[in-house]
């Protein structure tokens, strides 16, 4: 059986990250600072060459892939969409203090999830589903 090495790279900064907001499904772009940090990191660090780039459908993720791997056409995997924060979406920690679930969820308590969101276990299960080789149809680029 063929084995693969998978590298997970988090998207760069967004304005919402800088504001301390929980951003999951909200489709925001990278901030100018985030784009510049990526360009700088690309020049200073060694990113492994890859045969394929897979990304969440969200703008900040596709932009990250385009900056780091401009020669690869990213393959969008809907199942890689970020965490579903439910009612926590687009809120700061200060705004979430009123939710009884928040400190338990933040502590990683098993089964705890934001109202109308997904638990950490649900998120991990969803992402694992889409990292199985049979879930992704790709071939090597011709030499």
């Amino acid at each position: 059986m063929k084995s693969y090495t998978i590298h997970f790279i988090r998207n760069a900064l967004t304005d919402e990250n800088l504001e301390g907001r929980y951003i999951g499904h909200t489709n925001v772009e990278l901030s100018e600072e985030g784009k510049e940090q990526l360009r700088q990191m690309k020049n200073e660090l060694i990113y492994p060459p890859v045969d394929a780039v897979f990304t969440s459908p969200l703008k900040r993720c596709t932009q990250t892939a385009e900056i780091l791997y401009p020669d690869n056409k990213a393959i969008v995997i809907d199942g890689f969409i970020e965490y579903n924060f439910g009612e926590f979406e687009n809120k700061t920690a200060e705004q979430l203090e009123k939710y009884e679930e928040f400190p338990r969820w933040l502590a990683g308590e098993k089964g705890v999830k934001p109202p109308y969101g997904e638990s950490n276990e649900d998120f991990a299960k969803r992402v694992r589903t889409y990292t199985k080789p049979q879930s992704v149809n790709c071939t090597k680029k011709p030499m």
Side-chain angles (χ1 to χ4, degrees):
M1 178 193 318
K2 178 136 174 85
S3 65
Y4 296 90
T5 300
I6 299 174
H7 303 275
F8 287 93
I9 300 174
R10 189 183 189 285
N11 62 269
L13 284 174
T14 66
D15 289 330
E16 292 76 9
N17 294 141
L18 295 170
E19 295 168 359
R21 297 184 178 282
Y22 286 90
I23 301 296
H25 286 195
T26 301
N27 198 11
V28 299
E29 296 191 10
L30 295 176
S31 66
E32 289 306 315
E33 180 181 352
K35 290 176 188 177
E36 185 54 37
Q37 284 179 343
L38 273 180
R39 290 184 195 102
Q40 185 176 353
M41 287 171 32
K42 184 177 180 190
N43 289 331
E44 294 175 2
L45 303 173
I46 298 172
Y47 282 87
V50 297
D51 294 321
V53 174
F54 303 101
T55 181
S56 156
L58 299 178
K59 290 177 192 173
R60 61 189 181 269
C61 300
T62 59
Q63 289 173 322
T64 297
E66 288 168 5
I67 291 170
L68 293 179
Y69 292 99
D71 296 332
N72 293 79
K73 181 171 175 15
I75 300 165
V76 173
I77 307 280
D78 290 338
F80 281 175
I81 196 165
E82 280 67 6
Y83 195 93
N84 180 354
F85 288 113
E87 286 187 15
F88 293 1
E89 184 74 21
N90 207 18
K91 292 186 170 77
T92 65
E94 184 178 322
Q95 292 170 313
L96 295 173
E97 289 175 354
K98 66 181 180 183
Y99 289 88
E100 66 179 65
E101 303 91 347
F102 182 61
R104 294 174 31 233
W105 171 78
L106 201 57
E109 188 176 317
K110 189 173 179 158
V112 176
K113 61 184 181 179
Y116 306 105
E118 65 187 338
S119 68
N120 293 329
E121 296 84 12
D122 291 340
F123 173 70
K125 181 178 179 184
R126 174 169 56 81
V127 172
R128 275 194 309 269
T129 298
Y130 288 95
T131 57
K132 293 179 182 173
Q134 66 270 23
S135 300
V136 179
N137 184 15
C138 66
T139 57
K140 272 190 148 181
K141 293 186 288 188
M143 296 293 193

